[in-house]
Amino acid sequence: AEGTAALLDGIGGTVFTSGDNAYPQGSAADFRNCYDPTWGRHKARTRPAPGNHDYEAPGAAPYFAYFGPNAGPSGLGYYSFELGPWHVVSLNSNVPAGQGSPQYQWLAADLAERDARCVAAIWHHPLFSSAQNGPSPVMRDVWRLLQAARADIAVVGHEHAYERFAPLDDGGRPTTSGIRQFIVGTGGAPLYPFITVAPGSEVRISTWGVLKLTLNPDAYAWEFIVLGGSVRDSGSGSCG
């Protein structure tokens, strides 16, 4: 965790987290002893999403207390914000997200109110994965909703590895109108192996590092930077 926090020291801008912020149980002590001495020095510029380990504490209360307003309304775990020309939604894959759920209804209204050309989403459980936990279908309805709104990027975690996918529809089929998913669970926890190669998977790396995203008015670029500062994956895409 200290090594990846040191990478952030040299990267400006907003920091996203994709859940499981403090191991092992998301307790106040875990945030105080694990997160705060490392990634905590970037807390003021961090917009987090919660993971299942954050919810090992009842209601993820220490998560909401630690991040405060940067985590959105306390107790919900989903919110949105503007980042330059991009609209970003941070979602909660630990609570219901299917059609008819409060989170789904909130997201539908949020996307309808903001006709942003470029949209990014953050949550924890990946819809597609080649690593040991495998795909998590709980966000399939959300994916479909985001794709209809022309969303471009999903940044997720849960798997302790890095994986980049081609733009996919909610069924995992490559399409130019799909969403590109990045799994970035490489902040410091023990790493996972890859079990298979999921359809649409383009790059798989099992090492610690951070994903640097450059969000431009009509495009985005990425670099996966590993400990020591070298770039192991990079590329770009258009948005909107």
Side-chain angles (χ1 to χ4, degrees), residues 144-157:
R144 191 176 297 118
L145 188 61
L146 287 165
Q147 187 178 348
R150 307 187 312 278
D152 307 284
I153 301 170
V155 180
V156 299

Side-chain angles (χ1 to χ4, degrees), residues 172-217:
R173 294 173 289 267
T175 171
T176 56
S177 62
I179 302 169
R180 185 185 299 279
Q181 179 189 264
F182 295 89
I183 298 177
V184 193
T186 53
L191 297 167
Y192 288 174
F194 291 100
I195 306 302
T196 185
V197 178
S201 177
E202 294 183 326
V203 172
R204 296 162 301 282
I205 302 170
S206 185
T207 192
W208 293 289
V210 300
L211 178 67
K212 177 183 177 182
L213 290 170
T214 303
L215 304 179
N216 296 312

